[in-house]
Amino acid sequence: MKILKLSFLPLLFLSAFCFSQEEVEDQEAFFIKSIYEHSLMEGSCYDWLSYLSTNIGGRLSGSKNAALSVEYTADIIKKAGADKVWKQECMVPRWIRGDQEVVKIINSKSIGTKSLNCTALGNSEGSGIDGVQAEVIEVQSLEEVEELGAAGVKGKIVFYNRPMNNAHLRTFRAYGEAVDQRGRGPRIAAKYGAVGAIVRSMTTKNDDIPHTGFTFFTEEDKKIPAIAISTNDANFLSDLLEKEKVNLFMRNTSYMSTEVPSHNVVGEIKGSEFPEEIIVIGGHLDSWDLAGGAHDDGAGCVHSIQVFETFRALNYKPKRTIRCVMFMNEENGLSGGKKYAELALEKGETHIAAIESDSGGFTPRGFSADGEAEVINNNFKRVKEWFDLLEPYGLRLTKGGSGADIGPLKPQGPLMFGLRPDSQRYFDFHHTAVDHIDAVNERELKLGAAAMTSLVYLIDQNGVIQ
Amino acid sequence: MKILKLSFLPLLFLSAFCFSQEEVEDQEAFFIKSIYEHSLMEGSCYDWLSYLSTNIGGRLSGSKNAALSVEYTADIIKKAGADKVWKQECMVPRWIRGDQEVVKIINSKSIGTKSLNCTALGNSEGSGIDGVQAEVIEVQSLEEVEELGAAGVKGKIVFYNRPMNNAHLRTFRAYGEAVDQRGRGPRIAAKYGAVGAIVRSMTTKNDDIPHTGFTFFTEEDKKIPAIAISTNDANFLSDLLEKEKVNLFMRNTSYMSTEVPSHNVVGEIKGSEFPEEIIVIGGHLDSWDLAGGAHDDGAGCVHSIQVFETFRALNYKPKRTIRCVMFMNEENGLSGGKKYAELALEKGETHIAAIESDSGGFTPRGFSADGEAEVINNNFKRVKEWFDLLEPYGLRLTKGGSGADIGPLKPQGPLMFGLRPDSQRYFDFHHTAVDHIDAVNERELKLGAAAMTSLVYLIDQNGVIQ
């Protein structure tokens, strides 16, 4: 089949001068169709993601792989059509996982000794090589630990086991409701004298795969080892605890090293009419170390780079400046997102819009829109009208959060968007050893890129009311 | 978390007597929410599919596995809440695959001899144990073979190599445009004296997996061997043909045996108010033999059975009669679908609606509606209004085909629907050795069942205008 590449360009060049609103919409619809055709037939995003997640692999902040991924994406952003590409230095925390973690049920009356599938939580301090051994108590919430207090918790291992609520249609909602156990649970347990914390993996699935992720301690906090176990093992342990007291042994040697310099990567196509108006698109380049960070968030990175490649292939010259940013350190610090916003403020740049893709490379279902109240008030309704053009592609606009990396930009007033792919499979892979390229369907990934490109195009054509 | 199961029932019982339209809609919305919650949290469909596709496995019409699947689904439909379950005998063709197929490039100047990944097309006659060897010519269409005629084709192997068009958003459209090569290509090639036909696998992916599927010969036709090769191998062969003449060797021992009796399985919940009005839901129970037929069409079977289980769990007593049908022999004969329609006509039954799920167990995106012109005219707009209740679940109503198995019912006047899941991954698995339970995501499957259940509920509540 043929892809129409150039035939619409005379129309586009004329559109500003002599076309009715309806004709402009027809041209926009035609251009969006071309975006989809190019992305599906000739887009490079899957090949890039394959290289990033397989040839480079996991990209924990401060690691050698993270540095390699900075060089690799700087190169492909340039080749995809950026006028210029630069790096923004930012200091990142450097977490060292250490040796393979161990969590074991010890000397149970009914089952003896049994190892559990586990992985240390990011930024956590390990137990040291001797490990810790103690009675484990199961809780359903942080509040339960607060209620138990030191009398109930001291000297014990606290096991957070509230499942994600599978009744929710959107898995991110279930994640949001459960993740306080991982993010703050170990710290609260430590506060009351627990010697370790075990957290049920954050996933909608019952399987043997442990899920890592960030946990938070302040400098002043007492640190205790914090390890996630698989949902199957969490269920097993919970069943056992109904029958008897259980002692656990846990051992890991993770630790926080000193901060090191790393980088965001920024590529730019200068706008032809309004170069001072910046539209920023991006994902985060760092990932957890267990696998290749294919869905989280290699997908968001290559979605964003694909926007440049598709514009170039279709010979589209944006009116406004488009920036493609690979943010560093979303997973365990957000220093890249903060640095980008800080520099934008320093330089007095005007970001009219920001779009993040950090929900995986699945079939896109729409975008959520966010921003300061006035920006949303001025723009939501008119952007919703643009979505008549995107509805044939199964995309809807809703209000809601956008993305962690672009979050620090929000006070500077851009209209913010988050790509919303189908969320059903996301937590099968999130922060695990199976977040590989094999978990990504090429067409689904390309459709996400096409959705991003279409929205950038519509913003570029129609602007944002400040 | 808790699932609300029974608290709305008093409202439902009262609804017919004293509630406004708005209140009825609120109750319907509430009940649909309960359907989703039950399906996601307690639905058995994934476990059934796991058994059907793994413990039983591939279910080619007339095979022992097909017979086992009849017994298994009859049992689970009963347990899921059917008032009664029966079998409808139908005669099915019995195709025997024979030994592992061979397709080889022979004595190529540039690459020597090379085996290609291949699988015989369903219902095709094999080459016999000696195989056939001949020069291969590549064509892009049936028309091209007609143009070449006997002068170009006689004594040769015809290689159909037109790819599915990946630029289409819906993969089924791309399939529809390409599948004539598999369905009728071998027959046309035979008509002009070809000694064999090779068909590029029907998939959107470039990989090494061959896809089988039905090909059509009449009794009178000369039969030639007909084998699909993987898309990677099709590309390889095509590249080679640009450089040199190529001879292929093909060998397989498939054949059509005599027809044997098999069965549809029918389960029924008798309607409490309008028992004579039948709503039929179903999928096809037979599958190709290469794997477990998980997406095609075990998913549609368990979607349909889940409707019964969910209704029973929610204590919902349908006003109209609901039939759940496991159709036999969709893949290579459609005798089950024809038999069901034939018996319905004989008995003077009134089918007001028919819903088929035969597009895989992926996240549902909506339904397509079909039927005789008057039925569609009378109902499409009002059903579209019901979809306000399903829009929060990402479901849309469009006009379009419903399903092959319920197709023969169409002249009897039901309003027909096809479940439309996300189609991006479907042809990664369709008719292959990888259509396993592992390819099915539990939540996606359950959402399909919830979508089916919700539509059946709305039809049952609101009826169909005849």
Side-chain angles (χ1 to χ4, degrees), chain B residues 123-125 183 186-188 190 214-226:
Chain B
N123 287 25
S124 70
E125 293 289 328
R187 182 181 183 227
I188 300 293
F214 180 74
T215 196
F216 174 75
F217 286 94
T218 66
E219 296 252 324
E220 296 73 35
D221 285 335
K222 186 187 153 209
K223 316 290 192 299
I224 58 173

Side-chain angles (χ1 to χ4, degrees), chain A residues 111-131:
Chain A
I111 64 116
T113 293
K114 177 185 162 75
S115 289
L116 307 183
N117 293 290
C118 66
T119 184
L121 296 184
N123 288 24
S124 71
E125 293 289 329
S127 64
I129 54 168
D130 295 334

Side-chain angles (χ1 to χ4, degrees), chain A residues 153-445:
Chain A
V153 165
K154 194 170 178 186
K156 293 182 178 158
I157 292 170
V158 173
F159 165 38
Y160 289 97
N161 193 33
R162 184 170 85 255
M164 279 171 64
N165 183 350
N166 270 331
H168 292 319
L169 194 66
R170 289 183 306 113
T171 58
F172 283 92
R173 183 175 165 196
Y175 178 68
E177 288 177 2
V179 75
D180 64 333
Q181 299 174 98
R182 190 197 74 209
R184 296 186 295 117
R187 182 179 181 226
I188 300 292
K191 182 173 138 191
Y192 293 105
V195 297
I198 300 291
V199 181
R200 180 189 182 88
S201 283
M202 297 291 134
T203 171
T204 44
K205 235 180 149 175
N206 284 332
D207 63 19
D208 298 322
I209 299 168
H211 294 234
T212 190
F214 180 73
T215 194
F216 175 73
F217 287 94
T218 66
E219 294 252 326
E220 295 73 35
D221 287 335
K222 187 187 152 210
K223 316 289 194 297
I224 59 173
I227 300 183
I229 60 174
S230 74
T231 46
N232 277 348
D233 284 342
N235 293 340
F236 182 87
L237 178 57
S238 181
D239 289 348
L240 191 62
L241 281 165
E242 290 201 355
K243 292 188 233 159
E244 58 171 304
K245 283 193 180 184
V246 176
N247 285 312
L248 277 189
F249 171 74
M250 43 195 297
R251 182 178 67 210
N252 72 318
T253 54
S254 64
Y255 64 97
M256 291 301 286
S257 182
T258 50
E259 284 199 333
V260 292
S262 184
H263 300 88
N264 295 328
V265 181
V266 186
E268 182 178 276
I269 303 173
K270 189 65 96 181
S272 59
E273 285 184 45
F274 311 108
E276 74 287 359
E277 296 190 12
I278 300 168
I279 301 165
V280 64
I281 53 179
H284 65 83
L285 192 51
D286 66 305
S287 79
W288 289 107
D289 53 330
L290 299 172
H295 279 295
D296 187 14
D297 181 30
C301 292
V302 302
H303 278 158
S304 303
I305 305 171
Q306 184 65 59
V307 175
F308 276 23
E309 189 190 52
T310 300
F311 278 169
R312 194 184 56 176
L314 299 177
N315 205 14
Y316 180 73
K317 308 291 183 198
K319 297 178 186 179
R320 295 167 165 90
T321 293
I322 319 289
R323 284 226 188 121
C324 172
V325 182
M326 310 286 99
F327 293 99
M328 185 51 70
N329 186 224
E330 191 270 350
E331 293 294 3
N332 61 339
L334 208 67
S335 66
K338 289 175 189 163
K339 176 58 76 177
Y340 184 85
E342 183 191 313
L343 291 174
L345 195 63
E346 262 180 40
K347 293 182 187 167
E349 292 175 343
T350 305
H351 283 78
I352 64 161
I355 310 175
E356 181 155 352
S357 165
D358 184 20
S359 302
F362 307 96
T363 300
R365 308 293 297 260
F367 291 88
S368 52
D370 193 16
E372 297 292 308
E374 201 180 335
V375 179
I376 282 287
N377 287 343
N378 288 345
N379 290 284
F380 188 78
K381 203 176 148 205
R382 55 190 285 273
V383 174
K384 189 103 178 165
E385 280 166 17
W386 305 348
F387 272 69
D388 289 350
L389 293 167
L390 301 180
E391 193 272 344
Y393 302 93
L395 303 177
R396 298 193 309 167
L397 184 70
T398 52
K399 286 184 186 174
S402 54
D405 297 288
I406 60 174
L409 263 185
K410 186 170 167 177
Q412 297 179 38
L415 185 58
M416 325 246 308
F417 297 93
L419 178 69
R420 292 288 160 251
D422 194 285
S423 72
Q424 301 310 321
R425 285 175 285 146
Y426 189 70
F427 293 97
D428 296 3
F429 308 111
H430 184 242
H431 297 181
T432 69
V434 293
D435 187 9
H436 278 304
I437 189 70
D438 297 350
V440 181
N441 175 274
E442 183 167 348
R443 287 181 58 87
E444 293 188 345
L445 182 76

